[in-house]
Amino acid sequence: MTANGRIRIIGGSLRNSRLEVPDLPGLRPTTDRVRETLFNWLQPVIGGARCLDLFAGTGALGIEALSRGAAMVTFVERDARLAAALRANLARLKVQAAVVGDDAVRWLKAGGKPADVVFMDPPFAGDLWGDAADALESHGWLAPSAWIYVEAPRTASSAVPPTWQVHRQGVAGEVAYTLYRRTPDVPLS
């Protein structure tokens, strides 16, 4: 994030667009370098993909996906100020997307249409990875071969469902990031 409360979209049709970002404690936007790496990994599958951006924060991951050809993104953010800023950024960029103002884990438990790509970057202060992963898997949110991106503290050990296999991973500072591929032929335990 830049000093003036903005981050930029780094690729696709919205490249170099700036997102206005509220200055809120605990907000930790995914860095340009990590986003570039992630979207290089996702490049073969992001076009036309149906995406979820859980714990959306600034919405940078989901907006980057839209910029690079995702068919749709649903953003889920419980903080009303962040959800409002996200709606304003989407309107300014003239991008259509759904913004849900709710707790991501609670919202996931209602069930929904399967996503091809999921971005999961919960607040590091909470321990929400396991609950969110379980809700994604058990409430019909994942396409059979979905891709799931997870950011977590470098020192965290997060259990994921056995159907999620590590595809790629990296570390940037204190953040560990992993792209999982759902493999439906692995039985759930």
Side-chain angles (χ1 to χ4, degrees):
M1 185 160 52
T2 62
N4 61 357
R6 293 181 176 186
I7 57 176
R8 72 182 177 94
I9 299 303
I10 53 177
S13 64
L14 299 171
R15 182 184 179 138
N16 290 325
S17 296
R18 303 284 178 181
L19 304 179
E20 299 290 332
V21 179
D23 183 17
L24 297 171
L27 185 62
R28 184 191 32 76
T30 303
T31 65
D32 286 3
R33 185 179 69 122
V34 171
R35 274 187 289 127
E36 183 68 32
T37 298
L38 170 62
F39 283 94
N40 284 340
W41 295 344
L42 289 173
Q43 190 274 328
V45 299
I46 200 69
R50 183 180 176 85
C51 305
L52 287 176
D53 189 348
L54 303 174
F55 313 97
T58 65
L61 291 171
I63 294 172
E64 194 79 51
L66 289 166
S67 180
R68 293 169 184 250
M72 62 140 324
V73 176
T74 300
F75 298 88
V76 184
E77 175 53 56
R78 73 176 176 194
D79 185 289
R81 295 165 294 182
L82 288 171
L86 179 51
R87 285 183 187 99
N89 280 322
L90 290 167
R92 186 176 45 77
L93 296 171
K94 297 179 175 62
V95 176
Q96 296 294 316
V99 178
V100 177
D102 199 352
D103 175 81
V105 174
R106 179 178 51 230
W107 183 78
L108 288 170
K109 288 180 180 177
K113 293 182 180 177
D116 303 305
V117 178
V118 176
F119 305 106
M120 189 166 59
D121 182 11
F124 282 10
D127 188 19
L128 303 169
W129 293 273
D131 290 343
D134 290 343
L136 280 166
E137 191 65 53
S138 61
H139 293 282
W141 286 104
L142 298 175
S145 297
W147 298 88
I148 306 100
Y149 171 75
V150 178
E151 272 188 40
R154 184 180 202 164
T155 57
S157 60
S158 51
V160 297
T163 55
W164 296 15
Q165 303 299 308
V166 173
H167 179 70
R168 298 262 175 99
Q169 55 190 349
V171 175
E174 295 304 311
V175 176
Y177 54 97
T178 306
L179 181 62
Y180 294 94
R181 177 81 188 264
R182 185 170 187 261
T183 52
D185 54 344
V186 176
L188 290 172
S189 48

